[in-house]
Amino acid sequence: MTEEIKIRINDFEGPLDLLLHLVSQYQMDIFQVPLVEVIEQYLDYLHKMKKLELELAGDYMVIASQLMLIKSRRLLPSVAENFEEDTEQLEYELLAQIDEYRKYKRLSQDLADLHDVRSQFYSKAKTEIITEETQLMKDKTTIDLFLAFSKVLELQRQKIEDENTTIETE
Amino acid sequence: MNKTATCELLLFVSGEAGLTLSELATLTELSKQACQQQIEHLQEKYQKDGESALTIIETAGKYRLSSKEEFADILKNYAKTPLNQSLSKSALEVLSIIAYKQPLTRLEVDMLRGVNSSGVLSTLRAYDLIEKQGELEAPGRPSLYGTTEFFLDYIGINDLSELPEVDETEFLAEKQVLFGEENTENLANEELSKEEEERENQ
């Protein structure tokens, strides 16, 4: 518990990813994860970011509160008949969640590998052929126009986001 | 009019949109089988010809005329089509969850990842990798999401049944290490070194 845990929160895809990392990296029982240290590190990081990512913080807090509940229930003596069962159920649910998340983390890597192979092949855009006989089908509405343009906007927004480099001060 | 040339012409004009076998058959007035033979013949011709940069690939059930693999590096800087762009780690995670568990709601994706996924979902929708596939009969009528035909093309398969599967044996062994009460020290160390290797390779 005393050893320093060095993690950078922004390397993770949320709290489950972080927990998974802690469990596999430090060979810890998941309920022995030094929560206080993790939360402190996280708040520090938020502070450095100079802008509150409340949504992101919230996700971590939800899992953290779950862990705290389980931890506190573990410490308490049994007060009711099904108290211990409930606690085990809580633990089991969280473990199942991490387990499932792990599966998709692995699969997403497989999909990325498949895409890497596919992305080696380039094609040209479809050639629009226009002839005298071409008739307009009139199958498009204002909704189609609206969606088409908002798609263009969204893609542009992505592009700008991808090109932006943020400079962090350590 | 040479039929092979006609097939080549149609594939060239359709470009990245591609053509299905039945579309090709209708346009060339050949049987599907004959069409298939023509395409294989073309593929062979391109393969043999060291002075040709073209090949034919089949993804999402359509044939597409494209450049050979070995020219990818030259084209990388020139072309920035969505197909040849990589997704972020989080976008990939969400995409794989939707690919395997479709149709499902945003809330279900959030639950699985433990983080909010709405931003990533709109990105994937803009790229046309996922789409709304109806609504769930539940309070709030949340949208159900599934993958598009373009998704199949994006990862280069023809059918969802071709999605890679989790290697269950390896997965279970790892699970015992991570969550099991048994003290499987050797396995653990093996797994860890494997994970470290993976990290180094990335």
Side-chain angles (χ1 to χ4, degrees):
Chain A
M1 286 294 279
T2 48
E3 70 167 303
E4 184 75 25
I5 291 186
K6 285 193 172 59
I7 42 169
R8 292 182 50 235
I9 294 269
N10 51 344
D11 291 344
F12 294 99
E13 296 294 329
L16 288 177
D17 201 12
L18 176 60
L19 280 175
L20 181 60
H21 172 80
L22 291 174
V23 176
S24 58
Q25 189 79 355
Y26 298 95
Q27 292 281 292
M28 278 185 189
D29 170 0
I30 188 153
F31 301 106
Q32 298 293 318
V33 170
L35 276 181
V36 180
E37 281 179 41
V38 174
I39 292 169
E40 270 179 4
Q41 277 210 17
Y42 183 62
L43 291 175
D44 252 11
Y45 160 78
L46 278 185
H47 196 68
K48 276 188 192 140
M49 281 288 286
K50 293 277 192 295
K51 88 176 175 192
L52 267 180
E53 290 192 50
L54 278 177
E55 255 181 36
L56 198 63
D59 293 327
Y60 281 86
M61 293 306 156
V62 169
I63 301 278
S65 61
Q66 272 187 29
L67 282 167
M68 283 191 214
L69 176 65
I70 292 165
K71 233 176 150 166
S72 57
R73 288 183 72 124
R74 269 190 166 194
L75 295 172
L76 288 171
S78 273
V79 283
E81 221 156 272
N82 51 4
F83 183 84
E84 237 166 89
E85 258 175 53
D86 285 353
T87 310
E88 270 170 27
Q89 181 64 23
L90 279 173
E91 284 179 22
Y92 176 77
E93 276 169 18
L94 189 65
L95 285 176
Q97 210 182 349
I98 294 170
D99 192 34
E100 179 107 4
Y101 172 75
R102 195 165 60 97
K103 190 162 118 188
Y104 287 101
K105 196 181 158 148
R106 166 85 50 96
L107 284 170
S108 70
Q109 195 45 56
D110 293 346
L111 290 193
D113 294 345
L114 278 176
H115 167 67
D116 282 346
V117 174
R118 170 64 181 98
S119 67
Q120 304 296 302
F121 298 91
Y122 289 80
S123 296
K124 56 177 260 312
K126 186 178 173 181
T127 310
E128 296 290 349
I129 297 176
I130 299 165
T131 64
E132 291 288 324
E133 291 88 49
T134 310
Q135 291 275 322
L136 198 59
M137 269 178 80
K138 294 182 179 156
D139 59 344
K140 296 281 179 275
T141 64
T142 44
I143 300 282
D144 294 310
L145 209 56
F146 169 77
L147 289 176
F149 190 63
S150 64
K151 192 179 238 176
V152 171
L153 285 177
E154 177 66 29
L155 285 173
Q156 284 297 327
R157 204 182 54 77
Q158 274 318 131
K159 222 186 206 157
I160 291 162
E161 252 177 40
D162 291 346
E163 283 167 4
N164 269 357
T165 328
T166 46
I167 299 166
E168 280 180 52
T169 47
E170 275 300 311
Chain B
M1 287 264 272
N2 181 295
K3 292 289 183 192
T4 316
T6 312
C7 279
E8 188 182 34
L9 168 76
L10 290 168
L11 286 171
F12 166 76
V13 168
S14 70
E16 62 195 4
L19 287 164
T20 63
L21 199 56
S22 43
E23 280 170 340
L24 270 168
T26 314
L27 289 161
T28 53
E29 293 169 353
L30 289 169
S31 71
K32 275 193 193 176
Q33 231 173 341
C35 243
Q36 183 110 34
Q37 275 172 353
Q38 292 291 357
I39 285 175
E40 278 164 19
H41 173 65
L42 265 174
Q43 253 168 334
E44 226 169 284
K45 193 179 112 190
Y46 291 138
Q47 193 100 44
K48 275 191 196 139
D49 187 356
E51 288 176 357
S52 168
L54 299 176
T55 183
I56 296 171
I57 55 171
E58 187 195 358
T59 55
K62 285 180 172 174
Y63 291 100
R64 301 160 210 267
L65 192 66
S66 76
S67 63
K68 283 179 184 165
E69 266 174 295
E70 56 261 40
F71 295 98
D73 287 341
I74 297 169
L75 294 172
K76 207 154 258 162
N77 301 323
Y78 179 75
K80 264 264 187 272
T81 48
L83 238 168
N84 310 84
Q85 274 178 18
S86 291
L87 290 171
S88 67
K89 246 177 31 178
S90 46
L92 267 169
E93 261 178 28
V94 173
L95 185 59
S96 61
I97 289 170
I98 292 174
Y100 285 89
K101 293 188 81 106
Q102 62 184 306
L104 80 170
T105 62
R106 182 181 68 86
L107 199 66
E108 285 171 299
V109 178
D110 287 356
M111 281 297 294
L112 263 165
R113 292 182 66 227
V115 280
N116 183 305
S117 310
S118 45
V120 182
L121 280 174
S122 65
T123 303
L124 292 173
R125 283 180 79 176
Y127 279 132
D128 195 28
L129 286 162
I130 60 166
E131 63 190 351
K132 250 182 83 166
Q133 292 182 345
E135 289 168 339
L136 190 68
E137 291 291 337
R141 302 191 65 82
S143 305
L144 288 164
Y145 294 101
T147 51
T148 60
E149 187 189 285
F150 177 67
F151 165 75
L152 297 176
D153 187 21
Y154 182 85
I155 62 168
I157 60 176
N158 288 304
D159 192 273
L160 284 174
S161 62
E162 292 173 39
L163 282 171
E165 280 172 37
V166 178
D167 183 355
E168 287 294 342
T169 48
E170 189 190 341
F171 196 71
L172 280 172
E174 198 183 32
K175 183 173 175 165
Q176 266 183 345
V177 174
L178 290 182
F179 307 117
E181 271 72 54
E182 305 147 45
N183 212 349
T184 40
E185 285 258 344
N186 295 340
L187 249 175
N189 292 335
E190 257 176 62
E191 276 295 333
L192 273 181
S193 56
K194 215 186 280 179
E195 277 201 4
E196 274 165 17
E197 264 179 32
E198 274 176 17
R199 259 191 216 106
E200 277 166 19
N201 290 341
Q202 276 168 20

